[in-house]
Every structure is written in C-alpha cells, then in structure tokens.
Amino acid sequence: MVKLSVNVDHVATVRQARRADEPDPVAAAVLAELAGADGITCHLRGDRRHIQDEDLRRLREAVRGRLNVEMAATKPMLEAARKYRPHLVTLVPEKPGELTTTGGLDVRRHRKRLREHVRALRRARIDVSIFLDPDLGQVEAAAELGVGTIELNTNAWAIARTERAARRAYDALVAAAARAGELGLVVAAGHGLTVKNVGPIADIPEVEELNIGHSIVARATLLGMEAAVREMLVAMGRFDVLLR
Ligand code: PXP
C-alpha cells in the first residue's frame, strides 16, 4: 500500500500573501490526516516564503503520522532540524527566486559536503532522505552517503506532453526505483503529481510513499481538504479509503 504524505506549504503561501493568520497549515495538516493521509510534508525555505519556524513547531506537535521536512543542506537548516526534530528530513536543492524546487540534488557533485550533513542529522537521530532526479549514478551516490530513503523527482513525468517524453520519464523512474530497491533504500517519489498522472507512479513496485502538495492544496481550495485527499488516495489505488 503506497503511503501519501501531504505537503501543506501552499496553505501557508495563501496566508503569507496577506501576512494574515489564515489559512493555517497546521489545521490543513490535521484535516489531511483525518482524511487518510499517512503523514505531512513541508518545506522550510531559507526565505521563509511560506512555512515559518512557528508552523514547524506546531506541526511537530499536531501531526500524528510522520512529519517530513524538506530543507537545503545548510548550517541554519541543520540547526532548525535539531530544534524541531521532524521524523524525516528530505534534503533538497534550493535556489533563490525559484518558483518551486526545480530538480534533484546533485549528490555526485556535492558528495563530501552532503556526507557531513547526513552524518550530523543521523547523529541527531533524524532519518534522512534525498530528493534525486531518476539517475542511476545519483541513486548509487545517495546510497553511499548512508541515507535510508530517496525521493525520486517525478517532474519530467508530470510535465511530459508527448507519449515519447512520458515513456522516457517513466522508464527512468522505474529503473531508478529498481536500483534503489536493490541497494536497500526506501523509495519515495513526488513533484507535480495530480489525480490524472499519479496512477502509474503509485504502481512502481518499489515506491512506498508519495509526497504531493500543490495539486491537493489547489483542489482543497475548491472541494475542501478531506475530499482532495480522498480523491488522491483513490487515484493512487488506495481503495481502503472507500471503507473509511
Ligand atoms: N517533493 C519535493 C522534494 C518537493 O520539493 C515538492 C515541492 O515542494 C514536492 C515533492 C511536492 O510537489 P508538488 O507540490 O508539485 O506536489
């Protein structure tokens, strides 16, 4: 059964658009979990454009499943991880001014720095994942760093507009997931997933968890969080949701 972790960043984006106190990403997280989500994800960005430190503190208290915090591999973020103690930290690249995370971390290039960072997080007893493009070399380099989980970037699949591009993106994800499975890594996936494109990703045998944000929050603005989470779970083949 593939797990769903709902990313609540963009609930905070709407709040920050007016520097107001609503909508509350913590309330959204509670509703997502009540609707069947297995965990909650948020991204603490250096520029604090959506999730704030106080959100993270409150999420850590409120989330019943696993709290996954995406962050850059920087010193201030290591301090934040030590302070707020999420269950899992997913290391992501972060570029100032980008609309969203644009690609996976280049583990091969930053191997040395990342090794130190992963070690420090593990010393703090925080599980570590790394967001990767579906590339065998990157998967192997991540395994060497001693992380327990990788998250495969599904963006190329999500934006494919020809059958050929979709096939190429999908084959890369299948191969990367298989290699990660052989190396004993837990495989997560995410970025750009919607009810229309999630099915084949949820069907990849090694994929254990999906991290989905924008589409669920977008649908939640029209349908409510419970309906948005439920329709995503059904699209993932999580028919247990029909019995809830
Ligand atoms: N995984 C990672 C590492 C991300 O950075 C994001 C976007 O914050 C997601 C998953 C979720 O992507 P989306 O918001 O497109 O569902």
Side-chain angles (χ1 to χ4, degrees):
M1 210 164 63
V2 186
K3 292 186 182 139
L4 172 64
S5 185
V6 175
N7 181 317
V8 294
D9 289 351
H10 294 316
V11 178
T13 301
V14 174
R15 180 193 61 193
Q16 295 308 108
R18 296 289 292 268
R19 301 285 186 274
D21 57 9
E22 64 180 2
D24 180 3
V26 183
V30 170
L31 291 170
E33 287 199 309
L34 287 173
D38 302 283
I40 298 298
T41 294
C42 68
H43 184 167
L44 188 68
R45 281 187 169 268
D47 63 9
R48 302 298 194 275
R49 71 171 75 155
H50 35 58
I51 294 292
Q52 308 295 304
D53 294 58
E54 179 61 6
D55 294 325
L56 191 46
R57 187 191 67 72
R58 292 173 57 235
L59 281 168
R60 185 65 182 86
E61 279 183 8
V63 170
R64 291 286 154 258
R66 192 166 70 161
L67 178 63
N68 168 29
V69 179
E70 299 168 1
M71 43 174 60
T74 62
K75 267 213 173 113
M77 287 299 153
L78 180 59
E79 288 315 308
R82 286 188 179 126
K83 183 166 177 191
Y84 300 111
R85 309 201 50 75
H87 303 100
L88 181 74
V89 161
T90 299
L91 298 175
V92 298
E94 211 173 286
K95 295 196 195 100
E98 67 187 354
L99 272 184
T100 179
T101 311
T102 44
L105 249 188
D106 189 343
V107 183
R108 299 174 78 178
R109 184 154 168 217
H110 302 293
R111 202 184 301 245
K112 196 158 162 252
R113 192 168 58 82
L114 287 171
R115 180 168 289 125
E116 289 304 307
H117 201 85
V118 168
R119 211 173 272 158
L121 284 165
R122 295 196 58 189
R123 232 181 276 132
R125 299 221 188 84
I126 297 169
D127 289 340
V128 188
S129 175
I130 301 193
F131 186 56
L132 297 177
D133 289 331
D135 171 278
L136 298 188
Q138 295 290 351
V139 171
E140 286 160 8
E144 279 172 23
L145 292 185
V147 298
T149 304
I150 58 153
E151 179 181 338
L152 294 173
N153 181 5
T154 51
N155 190 52
W157 162 254
I159 64 170
R161 290 294 170 264
T162 63
E163 210 176 320
R164 192 152 163 250
R167 172 51 62 193
R168 194 180 317 131
Y170 191 69
D171 288 348
L173 287 163
V174 168
R179 184 71 187 121
E182 279 167 14
L183 293 166
L185 295 163
V186 173
V187 183
H191 213 283
L193 296 177
T194 68
V195 289
K196 288 187 187 158
N197 66 23
V198 76
I201 303 298
D203 284 343
I204 297 174
E206 292 82 8
V207 170
E208 293 188 29
E209 180 167 305
L210 298 175
N211 294 333
I212 307 180
H214 181 267
S215 174
I216 291 178
V217 172
R219 299 282 293 163
T221 64
L222 303 180
L223 307 173
M225 184 54 90
E226 183 180 6
V229 169
R230 283 175 67 92
E231 70 171 6
M232 184 59 76
L233 285 165
V234 173
M236 287 165 55
R238 280 283 301 271
F239 300 137
D240 58 305
V241 73
L242 301 173
L243 308 172
R244 287 169 77 96

